[in-house]
Structures are given as C-alpha cells and as structure tokens.
C-alpha cells in the first residue's frame, strides 16, 4: 500500500510538471489570428489594398513611397486607424503622416490621435493614430461629413533627408471601429454607399447581372446600412409611453 501511494504521488507531480509544457507548446490563437491579412500596400487610390476592420495588415516599402489601404465603414461607426512604421537601424530624423479619405476621396480630419509624428534619429519605429468623425448616414451636399462606404488610408513620410530616401521600411496598419449608436443617428440615408464601382453591374455566366461592386469586394459584416437600428428607437418608444402616461394622469387629475 505504501509503494502504491508513493507511485501515485510521483505520477501526480510528474503530470503537474509536464502539463505547463504541453500547454505552452500549443499554438497561440493570437499568433494565427491575422494569418490571412494582406502583406502589401497599394501605391494609389485605385490600387489600395483592401483590409477588414479588426485586421492587422503589413507592408514593405521604401522611405518616400506612398502606401494606400482601404476599408469599409458604415453609418454610426467611428473608425480608429493605427499605423506603426518600423525604421532602419540607422537614419536621420524624419516625419511620418497618416491621412484618411472617404469614398469621394475627401480628406477627413482626425478628431483624436497623433496624425503626424517625427521619429528621432536612429529611432526604431514611429506610431501614428487617426480617429475621424463618426460616419453619418446622410449629409448635405455642401458638407464634408464622412459618409458610408469605402475609406482610404495613406501613409507617407513628409520630412526626410536626402540620404535616407529609399531606405527600406516596414509598416503595420490596423483599423477598428466603435458603434456610437443613436446619438449619431440622422434622418435620411444614401441610395448607395460610396463604394468604387457601386454603379457598375457585372455580368456573370448565363448573362445574369449582379449588383456587386466590381472594384471593391469588402463590406461590413452585417451588410451596408446595418446600423438602421439604434437605441434612438428605444428612447423614442420610451418617450411615447411616458407621454401617454402623463396624458392619462393629467386626465385623471382633472
């Protein structure tokens, strides 16, 4: 019986010692989370690389290049664009900038974040952030409000020494969006989102026409205009109920 207890205790200790190693040897979910993310960037609006929200894309380029990405943003969303530029080991001070454009290629101002930053000499990297205004479902023609559709991100260096021109750099970009809710809801909506090729219908086999945009394939998970429902409806219903109760109470009081 004593021998059995000793063997059982040894097996238990051995199992506790081995289990952490087994757990550590398993692949981490975060390591393969962005395995299908793009690894290149476009050089213009027309060749911008499409990325999804919540996806970290990477690209290699040279100092002085213009790097372009595009992502979809629907009404009621407030995008947050973050970019990290990994610089070469030896370089002079240089200034990088990130710009966000809407589907009409209008530059959108950043409410928050460091849109432009200067990297000190021999700095390993520089981080940029841009948080544009909340996307609106509808706007006046004269306004510059962000509207639903494809958004473009441009990353470039604005101040660079001649000796550092053309040095290799690596860029990482990630776009996340927050659903603001009914506080950003407006009356009216666009007939179609501002997506490249939205007015072009492609023909498939059997001469069947499709309304899918031929120049842009990404859209929000729930489809465009997915934010038609918001807490604004709830507050409107609650206000109506309170108004009815107030009317009944006033009648009874009278």
């Amino acid at each position: 019986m004593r021998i059995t207890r000793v063997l059982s205790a040894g097996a238990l200790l051995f199992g506790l010692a081995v289990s952490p190693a087994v757990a550590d040897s398993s692949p981490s979910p975060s390591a393969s989370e962005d395995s299908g993310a793009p690894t290149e960037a476009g050089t213009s609006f027309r060749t911008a690389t499409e990325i999804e929200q919540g996806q970290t894309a990477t690209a290699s380029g040279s100092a002085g290049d213009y790097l372009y990405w595009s992502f979809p943003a629907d009404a009621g969303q407030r995008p947050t664009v973050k970019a990290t530029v990994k610089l070469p080991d030896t370089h002079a001070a240089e200034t990088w900038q990130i710009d966000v454009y809407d589907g009409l290629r209008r530059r959108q101002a950043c409410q928050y974040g460091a849109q432009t930053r200067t990297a000190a000499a021999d700095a390993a990297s520089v981080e940029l952030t841009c948080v544009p205004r909340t996307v609106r479902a509808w706007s006046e023609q004269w306004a510059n409000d962000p509207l639903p559709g494809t958004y473009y991100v441009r990353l470039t260096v604005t101040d660079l020494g001649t000796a550092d021109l053309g040095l290799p750099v690596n860029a990482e970009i990630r776009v996340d969006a927050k659903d603001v809710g009914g506080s950003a809801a407006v009356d009216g909506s666009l007939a179609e989102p501002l997506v490249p090729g939205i007015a072009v219908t492609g023909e498939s086999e059997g001469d069947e026409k499709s309304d899918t945009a031929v120049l842009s394939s990404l859209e929000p998970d729930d489809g465009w205009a997915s934010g038609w429902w918001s807490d604004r409806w709830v507050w409107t219903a609650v206000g109506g109920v309170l108004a009815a109760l107030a009317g009944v109470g006033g009648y009874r009081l009278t």
Side-chain angles (χ1 to χ4, degrees):
M1 181 65 67
R2 182 178 300 176
I3 295 176
T4 304
R5 291 179 179 177
V6 173
L7 292 177
S8 300
L12 179 60
L13 294 176
F14 179 78
L16 293 175
V18 172
S19 56
V22 174
D24 293 340
S25 62
S26 60
S28 174
S30 59
S32 59
E33 181 180 358
D34 297 327
S35 58
T39 56
E40 59 182 9
T43 56
S44 66
F45 286 102
R46 292 184 59 86
T47 60
T49 300
E50 296 180 342
I51 60 175
E52 298 179 357
Q53 295 182 7
Q55 192 177 51
T56 302
T58 59
S60 299
S62 302
D65 292 344
Y66 285 90
L67 304 179
Y68 287 83
W69 294 269
S70 65
F71 65 93
D74 204 1
Q77 292 184 340
R78 180 184 296 164
T80 299
V81 183
K82 296 182 179 181
T84 302
V85 183
K86 298 180 180 179
L87 305 174
D89 297 336
T90 304
H91 63 85
E94 50 191 59
T95 303
W96 287 80
Q97 179 172 311
I98 187 173
D99 297 302
V100 179
Y101 299 83
D102 65 0
L104 298 177
R105 301 183 185 179
R106 303 176 301 181
R107 183 176 177 272
Q108 296 295 323
C110 300
Q111 280 187 313
Y112 314 104
Q115 181 183 8
T116 303
R117 271 189 173 177
T118 300
D122 299 336
S125 63
V126 58
E127 296 182 357
L128 307 169
T129 305
C130 178
V131 183
R133 293 173 295 169
T134 304
V135 179
R136 295 166 57 92
W138 181 84
S139 177
E140 296 287 350
Q141 296 182 358
W142 48 262
N144 193 36
D145 296 327
L147 296 172
T150 299
Y151 280 73
Y152 300 91
V153 180
R154 183 179 71 181
L155 177 64
T156 186
V157 60
T158 59
D159 187 8
L160 180 70
T162 306
D164 295 336
L165 187 64
L167 291 179
V169 295
N170 295 320
E172 292 183 0
I173 186 168
R174 181 181 178 90
V175 179
D176 296 296
K178 178 183 179 181
D179 191 1
V180 177
S183 60
V186 296
D187 295 330
S189 61
L190 298 180
E192 298 288 351
L194 301 178
V195 176
I198 192 65
V200 181
T201 56
E203 295 185 1
S204 58
E205 297 181 0
D207 294 334
E208 294 180 358
K209 294 185 178 181
S210 173
D211 294 334
T212 304
V214 297
L215 297 181
S216 181
S217 59
L218 292 182
E219 64 179 22
D221 295 337
D222 299 332
W224 291 108
S226 58
W228 68 271
W229 169 263
S230 67
D231 53 6
R232 189 178 182 183
W233 291 85
V234 177
W235 289 110
T236 302
V238 171
V241 172
L242 293 178
L245 294 177
V248 173
Y251 176 77
R252 295 293 300 272
L253 181 62
T254 302

